[in-house]
Amino acid sequence: MLSIVVFLPVAAAVALLLFPRMSDSAVRWTWITVTAVDLLLVLGLWIASPPGDGFAYEVDLRWIPSVDSGYHIGVDGLSMPLVALTAALFLACAIYSARETRRVRSFAALFLFLQTVCLGLFVSLDLILFFVFFDLSIVGMYFVIAGWGHRNAARAALQFFLYTFLGSLALLLGFIGLYLAAAPHTFDIVELTRQNPLAGKGVTGALILLALGVGLAIKTPTVPFHTWLPPAHTEAPAAGSAILAGVLLKMGTYGFVRIVMPVLPGVWRQYALVFVIVGVVSVIYGALVALAQRDFKRMIAYTSVNHMGYVILAVGAAGLVASSESQARHLAITGAVTQMVSHGLITGALFLLAGAMWDRGGTYDMDSYGGLAAQAPRFAGLAGLAAFASLGLPGFSGFIAEFQIFTGSLGGAPVATAVAFLGILITAALFLRVLQQVLLGSQRSPSGKFGDLTWPETASIGPLIALSVLIGLFPRPLLDAIEPAARTVSAIFGG
């Protein structure tokens, strides 16, 4: 059943391309229907077998036996929430794109292909399989940006591809290093976790961690590997930005908790402080640069650097926590995964709102807008909720995630965690400034009249905000899924 969830979207994409006489309307409804069915299947899998400390729906088939690489997939508490997030965001983007008129068939097929790639990565339990999906995500997003982006889309798409492809090459080198260090040689993540192949291998372990860390940091992205992100977001179509921020960035942070931490526990402990510093710098730098932006979309892009910095801070601090402080380590890892889900929902909604702004005004320049609350109450209401969710206000998922991250990280990196607190203050300042400038005051818009959100736009953005509120008020179902798997990763460190 898990394979059906993964490959149903790409099967639908192939079907769309094989029947060229379908109308654009039929293509849109097919896209929406397939993504809705896939989300229902994911929820069905979650309900039928709630994530625990082991893998559910596991499939392990021989694929490349000469290097012991197989089609090995499964889900646990680290991956199931991200699988559900992926399915929800792709459905939101399908509904939002109901008004897309440019090459609709190709656009829908490309997003369905991307959905399979993203789902496949989050369920992969083999390094080669993980790498294949990782690389294909770069190809898919390149064509989304280049084919449906704005004025400088070709340049932004090329920069995105070159940066992230370089990261994938570094990642591949790290995977090969793990394979060679293992005895017997294998690419199986579960077996590598059991072996701990780099125990006692100082320089070799450091080099492999460097390769894996650079590859995943570029995808996340963290400072100083973040420079591809703002232009990619600025030039991408709204749905592309939502998937890039909401799903593709999580491939980097997920790689840390799925591969690096459990497979290299000793090496991770040794160099965890480096990642704590990178996380804190990303938090503060992302927030400060976002505060300086006048472009709404670039501002959101830099807040992604800020929010992903919290995740890196948490996983780094988990490696510094003393062996006896298992609860703090467990809390930091749980908070990191919760932050991935929260950021995906909130930032996905913010980028779709940015798309609505572009469609009505033809610009992301915040100085060009004002008093939108009076003209577009639905837009203003959802934008206000998304802003408060992003700055971590209680009652939203961001607060749950950041509270766990800070509480868990204090035990391992108290000074760094205290510095990271400044990121919350800066983020609050920048979002409050945006709300005051864009939603309140005298009415202005480049096009004169700023129309309110259409029902497809509301139906795509509203549920994402609602899910953030639901998690903020009732976090227990999500935490019940994440905590057993987080406890397993924590136990590898001796807690």
Side-chain angles (χ1 to χ4, degrees), residues 3 13-14 36 43 61 66-67 74 89 131 184 200 207 217 319 380 404 425 446:
S3 295
V14 172
L43 295 177
L61 302 175
S66 58
V67 294
L89 274 176
F131 177 77
L207 291 175
Q404 292 179 102
L425 297 176

Side-chain angles (χ1 to χ4, degrees), residues 275-276 279-280 308-318 405-406 409 413 416-417 420:
F275 292 92
V276 168
V280 172
M308 291 298 94
Y310 290 125
V311 178
I312 302 302
L313 167 64
V315 295
I405 288 172
F406 286 127
S409 299
T417 305

Side-chain angles (χ1 to χ4, degrees), residues 291-312:
L291 183 63
Q293 300 304 306
R294 309 309 305 166
D295 182 296
F296 184 65
K297 214 177 185 192
R298 287 181 72 89
M299 183 203 74
I300 302 169
Y302 278 110
T303 64
S304 291
V305 177
N306 164 265
H307 285 94
M308 291 298 94
Y310 290 125
V311 178
I312 302 302

Side-chain angles (χ1 to χ4, degrees), residues 397-432:
S397 57
F399 174 78
I400 301 298
E402 291 169 14
F403 178 81
Q404 292 179 102
I405 288 172
F406 286 127
T407 304
S409 299
L410 276 170
V415 175
T417 305
V419 173
F421 266 106
L422 296 174
I424 296 179
L425 297 176
I426 300 169
T427 304
L430 72 90
F431 274 113
L432 291 175

